[in-house]
Amino acid sequence: MAIRPILTIPDRLLRKKANPIERVDEELRRLIDDMLATMYDAPGIGLAAPQIGVSRRLIVMDPAKDEAPKAPIIMVNPEILERSDELRVHEEGCLSIPDYTAEIERPATTRVAYIDREGRKQETELKGIWSTLVQHEIDHLNGILFIDYLSRLKREMVVRKYTKQKRAEAL
Ligand SMILES: [Zn+2]
């Protein structure tokens, strides 16, 4: 297991649509283990493969609190089948946009089809924080970031802040 560096905005890979995964094999399971290690180390509650520079449709999630036993959900090629009309608001953050949070409204329940770590087809209905999380992570696979739901003005302010920061670090 290795902890991988996490890309931050405005890295272009974060805006790319990730490629479907053709098979679940040992190589993919090693990538899954690296993603879990990276997510727990950050610490974060979700991570999508493009965030570590891998353009493949894979996400890992675990919103449990520190004291709770680790119980991650791993999804290969996740696909949203249904979203509820009912919405919920959550103060979202993102490991690729450090130190920034904003309240985002998303469907409160999400039905998702995916392939698990063992290569089996699964279907599940996620509610509450899990619903927010799965939508946030699947967005990453499509090059979408949570700041895209903000007003254009707010979003540009955030991007500008990180672009400036990167330039400063490059000196
Ligand atoms: Zn994120």
Side-chain angles (χ1 to χ4, degrees):
M1 267 193 314
I3 291 162
R4 311 266 200 110
I6 297 172
L7 304 181
T8 54
I9 57 166
D11 196 295
R12 284 214 193 132
L13 223 144
L14 294 169
R15 290 307 194 175
K16 225 184 120 193
K17 198 172 153 79
N19 300 310
I21 289 167
E22 273 160 28
R23 68 177 168 273
V24 179
D25 54 14
E26 276 317 301
E27 184 262 321
L28 187 79
R29 276 190 277 267
R30 274 197 295 277
L31 175 63
I32 290 170
D33 288 343
D34 283 0
M35 283 182 55
L36 287 170
T38 305
M39 176 182 77
Y40 287 124
D41 176 73
I45 61 172
L47 190 70
Q51 291 182 277
I52 56 163
V54 177
S55 192
R56 299 172 83 184
R57 303 188 79 79
L58 167 65
I59 62 174
V60 299
M61 302 170 287
D62 188 355
K65 295 265 181 290
D66 293 343
E67 323 83 64
K70 288 184 171 48
I73 292 188
I74 292 127
M75 293 185 174
V76 175
N77 296 340
E79 208 79 58
I80 294 179
L81 303 174
E82 259 179 70
R83 297 173 170 89
S84 63
D85 293 331
E86 190 200 331
L87 302 173
R88 78 183 288 270
V89 175
H90 192 87
E91 175 109 21
E92 293 188 30
C94 180
L95 292 172
S96 295
I97 311 170
D99 306 318
Y100 182 79
T101 61
E103 285 194 340
I104 307 291
E105 197 174 47
R106 298 185 189 258
T109 307
T110 312
R111 195 158 185 84
V112 187
Y114 64 98
I115 304 203
D116 71 14
R117 200 194 148 89
E118 262 53 66
R120 294 171 303 214
K121 274 191 181 170
Q122 303 278 1
E123 214 180 291
T124 186
E125 192 172 274
L126 298 171
K127 293 178 191 296
I129 174 93
W130 280 103
S131 176
T132 293
L133 195 50
V134 80
Q135 293 174 73
H136 178 120
E137 300 310 331
I138 292 175
D139 272 354
H140 273 300
L141 304 181
N142 297 319
I144 298 165
L145 301 170
F146 82 94
I147 52 171
D148 297 349
Y149 299 101
L150 302 173
S151 69
R152 191 173 148 196
L153 190 72
K154 263 193 183 169
R155 182 173 63 249
E156 283 174 354
M157 265 164 54
V158 177
V159 175
R160 209 173 306 134
K161 181 181 150 213
Y162 287 94
T163 309
K164 266 193 204 150
Q165 247 175 33
K166 278 224 167 132
R167 251 186 243 136
E169 280 166 15
L171 288 173

